[in-house]
Amino acid sequence: MSNPRNFSTFSNDDWATYISGVGEGISTIEATQNRSSDASATEHDAILADSINSFIDHTQLKTDATLAQINQLCEEAKEYSFKTVCVRLDHVARCVAALKDTSVGVACVIGFHEGTYPTTSKVAEAQSALQAGASELDIVLNYPLLLSPVPQYSSAYSELRELRKEAGSRAALKLIIETSQLDTDQIMAACTLAHAAEFDFVKTSTGFNGHGATVEDVRLMRSVVSFLDQQEAKGRVTMVKASGGIRTWEDTRAMVTAGVTRIGASSGVAIVKEAQGKSASGKDSADHPGGY
């Protein structure tokens, strides 16, 4: 299939045709993934265990999160060198200050968690997050647009492009597609729209609506964006983030093996300790009631 460049002119019918073509094209990538060897699985696991901290967005998204919990989140992120902390807008400035002069970024959720807020509201929230210093934005797709009898692909894409335009190169964008609410075709459509809008990641879940990440959904998402990256032939690599219900090293290992490069979890410390064969000192995800 060809890769059209002017998606802004697409009608809903054009999108439907394009998305159908993506579905026809991903079977080759899926077959390649299924043939991958696991002969060096033990070596791979050892390497992954030593670097798993760099995959983790250490997360606290409860609406009643306290300053003490946010401070603890940041201290743990520094201690374990997590990739980012992921918080709501109210806590971005505090996290940016706490993590100054470290390698830990700050991700802010946008349109969380329903995704149905007006585009103007999402853009304003993104502006505020960027001004506060966020380096990544985790944006909830207005996924009900894909659930209507006639999916509103054009409207969904227009919102995503507006958000990409607002962020520019200032922040990486992740699209939370809420896989628990979508069927296979709708997941494929959401990933296609995210890729067309030049988002950097597609992400499984908010952690607040239905089941979280599954290996099957991650594999599908990985297949779609890999196929589209290859078709575009510009060297772009669109990534996959898994979130929702990931609390153990085995959960994390399964997601990375399925193709993710980022994990959203409130249990990051326990995951790292388990991966390294250490005791979690009796703590579990209840210490970080972050919704993940």
Side-chain angles (χ1 to χ4, degrees):
M1 63 176 284
S2 62
N3 188 11
R5 296 182 179 181
N6 192 9
F7 293 110
S8 62
T9 66
F10 268 31
S11 66
N12 287 325
D13 287 343
D14 292 331
W15 277 114
T17 299
Y18 182 61
I19 291 164
S20 176
V22 172
E24 293 170 1
I26 62 174
S27 58
T28 300
I29 289 178
E30 289 176 335
T32 301
Q33 289 175 336
N34 290 338
R35 289 197 301 268
S36 62
S37 172
D38 61 358
S40 59
T42 301
E43 180 181 358
H44 174 268
D45 284 357
I47 294 171
L48 178 60
D50 286 340
S51 63
I52 196 61
N53 59 302
S54 65
F55 285 69
I56 293 174
D57 290 346
H58 198 35
T59 301
Q60 173 55 265
L61 295 173
K62 287 290 189 180
T63 56
D64 59 354
T66 65
L67 179 59
Q69 288 174 314
I70 296 300
N71 288 340
Q72 181 181 359
L73 189 81
C74 292
E75 288 303 312
E76 290 171 344
K78 287 190 287 187
E79 179 180 354
Y80 290 92
S81 297
F82 291 129
K83 187 67 175 180
T84 75
V85 295
C86 185
V87 296
R88 291 178 182 263
L89 177 59
D90 291 349
H91 303 300
V92 169
R94 170 65 190 138
C95 292
V96 169
L99 296 168
K100 184 180 179 181
D101 299 325
T102 75
S103 63
V104 182
V106 177
C108 179
V109 291
I110 303 296
F112 200 85
H113 67 274
E114 296 88 348
T116 53
Y117 303 105
T119 300
T120 53
S121 175
K122 287 183 176 179
V123 169
E125 192 174 18
Q127 289 173 337
S128 295
L130 293 167
Q131 289 168 1
S135 55
E136 301 185 358
L137 303 179
D138 289 35
I139 299 167
V140 185
L141 173 69
N142 188 354
Y143 65 85
L145 291 174
L146 306 186
L147 304 180
S148 63
V150 179
Q152 299 301 299
Y153 300 124
S154 295
S155 294
Y157 171 76
S158 294
E159 176 172 282
L160 302 185
R161 280 303 301 165
E162 190 71 19
L163 288 158
R164 177 78 271 180
K165 180 180 177 181
E166 180 61 38
S169 61
R170 293 181 289 171
L173 299 189
K174 311 185 194 94
L175 185 65
I176 307 173
I177 67 174
E178 204 68 289
T179 50
S180 66
Q181 306 304 304
L182 305 178
D183 63 23
T184 297
D185 289 341
Q186 291 159 350
I187 291 172
M188 186 169 61
C191 292
T192 301
L193 292 166
H195 189 275
E198 300 183 349
F199 273 52
D200 302 282
F201 288 79
V202 287
K203 174 179 171 180
T204 59
S205 318
T206 62
F208 285 74
N209 191 358
H211 67 74
T214 69
V215 166
E216 293 76 17
D217 288 344
V218 164
R219 285 175 177 160
L220 174 60
M221 294 163 69
R222 176 74 263 160
S223 293
V224 172
V225 296
S226 294
F227 173 74
L228 289 167
D229 284 341
Q230 289 181 14
Q231 290 295 304
E232 187 179 61
K234 292 183 179 179
R236 178 155 61 122
V237 178
T238 306
M239 295 168 280
V240 180
K241 175 177 173 178
S243 58
I246 302 171
R247 298 185 177 89
T248 68
W249 161 238
E250 284 304 316
D251 294 339
T252 305
R253 177 183 173 278
M255 293 299 164
V256 174
T257 301
V260 308
T261 55
R262 198 75 67 86
I263 296 287
S266 55
S267 303
V269 172
I271 290 168
V272 170
K273 287 183 175 181
E274 186 182 356
Q276 296 174 344
K278 298 178 180 179
S279 168
S281 303
K283 296 182 179 180
D284 59 23
S285 60
D287 290 313
H288 296 290
Y292 279 33

